[in-house]
Amino acid sequence: MSLVAGAKLGPYEIQSLLGAGGMGEVYRAHDAKLRRDVAIKVLPADVARDPDRLAKFRREAQLLASLNHPNIAAIYGLEEAEGQMFLVLELVEGEDLSEHLKRGPIPVAEAITFARQIAAALEAAHEKGIVHRDLKPANIKVGPDDDGKVKVLDFGLAKAMAGDSASGSGSSLANSPTFTAYSQTVAGVVLGTAAYMAPEQARGKTVDKRADVWSFGVVLYEMLTGKHLFGGETVTDILACVLTREPEWSDLPPDTPDSVRRLLHRALQKDPRMRLRDMGDAGLELENAGAEKPGIIGVVAATPVRSRVRAALPWAVAALVAMLALVGMHFSNELPETRSVRLSLVPPPNLKLNDSRPDWVVISPDGQKIVFSAASEDGKRQLWVRSLDSMEVQPLPGTEDPILPFWSPDSRSVAFGSHGKLKRVDLGGGSSQVLCDAARLVGGSWSRNGVIVFGPDYGALLSQVPATGGEPRRAGKTESEGDLEQASPNFLSDGKHFLYRTSRYIGGRGIWVGTLDSAEQKQLLPDGSDVGFAPPNWILLVRNDVLMAQALDLGSLQLKGDAVPIAARPPANPRPHGLFSASGTGTITWQGNWERAAQLIWFDRNGKELGAVGDPALVATSFEPRLSPDGKRVVFRRGNNLWVADLARNTEIRLTSAFTQFPVWSADGRGIVFDGASDGKSGILQKSANATGEAESLLPGHFFPQEISPDGRSLLYLRRGAKTRFDVWVLALSGPRSNDRRTYPLLDSAFEEDEPVISRDGRWLAYVSDESGTPDIYVRSFTADGKVGNDKKRISSNGGVYPRWRGDGQELFYVALDGQMMSVPVKSRGNEFEYETPKALFKTRMLDILINPAQYDVTADGKRFLIGATVGEAKAAAPTVILNWTAGLKK
């Protein structure tokens, strides 16, 4: 939470905000004890609340505090006050070097003066075994004009924040805390830390002081030329430049001394074995520079790869750029004989990708066609297909509201999820056909033997079904249901083995190889990244928002060599599934990141905005807001954690620090029930709404809380049935059924029932069922002992989700499938329930209808709606097709 001027942290009074980034917020403050101004850096919550990382950070801070050098900003202490963990730092006046460079190149003599001081700071730190790992102009302060002193900031904090060992090994893109903060797609600018990373750091290799030498060289080059050495519009472009492009030595000023040119050539060697090893040597070169005459030294640099091939793929008239020799090259100084080519694909103007819901772009096994989901001008979202050599885009009939499409091995059919079903459609003609139930598809793969393996739902185990349809059954090893999830299956080329990923709330994450109709399985990796298979023998996975490839021995099912990067994307708002696909012809699709600002916004009954809760942000997951019984607070999800906001005071507290979802208020408003992990427990948990004390376990396993009855006796939750998909169950919280936390089914028909909500008088239950073929709203009577009557009434006629009651029970709200907020006046006369025709109130901008849990709640008087809504236009980078992606990769 941001601090305001006048706030106090122990003896430190906050004066102003100096800056913010991935390493925390920095404030100017006054130390009342020592009567001096200091800089206060408040640590990010993920560091301050992680005991292991915090312990490592303390040790690192102690080591850094030992640095005593005039060109290094000092660390005074690591302290805690008012619930905040923060560093007390030397306050360095002046502007940072990045601001200085906005005015253009720095005169050679002045640049050399600055460089000498930077080199001296690095040398002093390296002598104590400390590597900066995040050197860049923004971390270098230049004193006032009459001072001219340079100080390097944040020494070693990159390693400390990442929680690495003191050796500095294991560096990756994520090890730089500022990488996330600055790596969004911004046209025409260098994107943060990526532009200053040494090649070995960008590849996730071991980092030592030579990485600082590289970054020093980049900074010195930019001071002299006024130009970014490695720039681009996306992280992919920048990483490609770092790995493949040589500097434009002709851009150096003519009066650059030979020793400085020589220093730059030695510092900017991509192979760390060939790079300058010691910053002391750099200092000597700079000391000699003043006595030299400018000239051109006899160093022959590698010829930079400058040419860019413009592709004429008709679908992408706006932005078809084929980039040569990007990160598909092998990692040495040798140029490969073949190059990978990248095409950015933009759909026709009458179709919209990612306007309000996620879309997918998937290459066919023969590499000739692409199937993608998109919305037409009338808002109807369906699957479309096109050949790479054609301008024509053809709709596939019967594919409305598709999820995660995947191809048949002969490239003639496509399977996909839609409205709780797994379906297929043949390109030869005809509408789609239902294969089996799949509540919310989490990946699928079609074998050459006519078997489909798929993830039927979040938190479920993999199933298999014939490609012609039938009754699904377990795929591979059978394990008990609970908090295990299997997803993202991909058949290997033998049609028998398949890759998949697993996850649990506590432990159990991994990438595995399973076997059809066999208990045989083998773990390949301990992380739970999405996984794919690229013929002939590659697995694809995502690490730190970088698409990686690693060779797989198909005989022994053992991984070979190291994972190597193929492409990167901005990390904000990653999709959970369907990021990439591969053909058998060396072509990969890599999806653009869907960036959308969203916020909890208050609306009146006419759709007029009345205010907001919290700030807008790029989001990856739903808000799931639930108002407290008294309407004074709201619990909501941000990222993977739950937060509670006081609506009157506009303050927030964090409730959980691990994956949690589906929050529900207790009847008295004192506690919150949720699904997930907290305090070493997992399952359905309850925690005090003020975030004090440990979570209480109510029910182990992977279930989804939905509602607590107004009398507090019954918790309604969703449970997956063996054949009935989601059912509504009851956990008795009090009364005669609660002695052993008894559970029993409430709604368990052959159809899916979910999203149950009880009227405030406790007499009526509204819920969603798909028995009509689409999700619709139904109402049944509800009794105090937790039972439903047989008086079922269908309220919606054209589909609906997310029911909510007005406080007096005289009105029912729900969201139509087109996003309209609907109102239904109702009356109850004795045991009779009467309702009027639903009418539309306003069109919402709600996030992910049909995919996420409810994104809104309504006040007791029915006059205001708090909605997780998009802000501005959703934006997505165009999907990328990478041709000949294996060019130069060493298996």
Side-chain angles (χ1 to χ4, degrees), residues 31-50:
D31 183 349
K33 285 185 177 180
L34 300 179
R35 298 181 182 180
R36 62 179 177 182
D37 289 340
V38 296
I40 296 293
K41 175 166 289 190
V42 179
L43 301 189
D46 61 345
V47 174
R49 298 183 181 180
D50 185 325

Side-chain angles (χ1 to χ4, degrees), residues 36 52 61 70 129 234 247 271 325 416 430 436 573 650 661 670 679 712 752 811 864:
R36 62 179 177 182
D52 291 337
T234 68
D271 186 343
F416 60 98
C436 64
N573 200 26
N650 196 28
Q661 59 183 349
R670 296 179 180 179
D679 304 317
E752 177 170 293
E811 190 174 17
R864 295 190 302 153

Side-chain angles (χ1 to χ4, degrees), residues 699-741:
L699 185 65
H702 188 33
F703 307 114
F704 305 131
Q706 299 288 299
E707 182 86 333
I708 292 179
S709 60
D711 60 12
R713 297 174 61 181
S714 302
L715 167 64
L716 276 56
Y717 66 96
L718 300 184
R719 179 170 178 170
R720 188 174 297 100
K723 296 182 179 180
T724 58
R725 297 183 286 127
F726 273 131
D727 299 323
V728 178
W729 282 59
V730 175
L731 170 65
L733 297 177
S734 63
R737 295 175 180 264
S738 66
N739 293 334
D740 58 354
R741 295 291 193 197

Side-chain angles (χ1 to χ4, degrees), residues 511-752:
I511 293 176
W512 299 74
V513 176
T515 309
L516 280 179
D517 302 318
S518 170
E520 178 188 351
Q521 62 176 8
K522 183 174 186 177
Q523 187 175 31
L524 296 180
L525 292 167
D527 59 80
S529 164
D530 267 320
V531 63
F533 179 69
N537 65 329
W538 295 93
I539 69 165
L540 304 176
L541 63 156
V542 180
R543 287 179 178 165
N544 300 322
D545 301 294
V546 178
L547 179 61
M548 311 285 286
Q550 190 164 2
L552 175 67
D553 187 311
L554 298 179
S556 64
L557 299 179
Q558 296 277 0
L559 293 174
K560 301 190 301 182
D562 296 327
V564 293
I566 300 170
R569 67 187 173 98
N573 200 26
R575 295 193 189 99
H577 310 294
L579 293 169
F580 49 83
S581 65
S583 74
T585 60
T587 301
I588 284 179
T589 60
W590 173 236
Q591 298 211 210
N593 188 39
W594 184 23
E595 296 181 359
R596 53 183 181 175
Q599 191 172 14
L600 282 172
I601 300 176
W602 286 107
F603 295 87
D604 67 12
R605 293 175 67 94
N606 296 316
K608 179 182 177 181
E609 292 190 23
L610 302 176
V613 176
D615 298 321
L618 292 175
V619 297
T621 56
S622 56
F623 286 112
E624 305 172 35
R626 297 298 294 264
L627 292 168
S628 61
D630 62 7
K632 296 180 179 180
R633 292 170 294 169
V634 61
V635 60
F636 63 96
R637 183 178 174 188
R638 178 186 290 145
N640 287 328
N641 311 125
L642 298 180
W643 295 72
V644 178
D646 186 310
L647 297 175
R649 297 179 176 86
N650 196 28
T651 58
E652 301 174 0
I653 59 172
R654 184 172 181 166
L655 186 70
T656 63
S657 299
F659 181 83
T660 42
Q661 59 183 349
F662 293 96
V664 179
W665 287 91
S666 62
D668 60 9
R670 296 179 180 179
I672 293 173
V673 173
F674 54 89
D675 168 54
S678 182
D679 304 317
K681 307 177 183 73
S682 67
I684 293 182
L685 307 176
Q686 180 172 255
K687 194 164 186 175
S688 169
N690 61 13
T692 59
E694 289 195 356
E696 174 191 2
S697 178
L698 299 182
L699 185 65
H702 188 33
F703 307 114
F704 305 131
Q706 299 288 299
E707 182 86 333
I708 292 179
S709 60
D711 60 12
R713 297 174 61 181
S714 302
L715 167 64
L716 276 56
Y717 66 96
L718 300 184
R719 179 170 178 170
R720 188 174 297 100
K723 296 182 179 180
T724 58
R725 297 183 286 127
F726 273 131
D727 299 323
V728 178
W729 282 59
V730 175
L731 170 65
L733 297 177
S734 63
R737 295 175 180 264
S738 66
N739 293 334
D740 58 354
R741 295 291 193 197
R742 180 179 175 185
T743 64
Y744 58 92
L746 185 70
L747 300 171
D748 62 342
S749 73
F751 306 102
E752 177 170 293

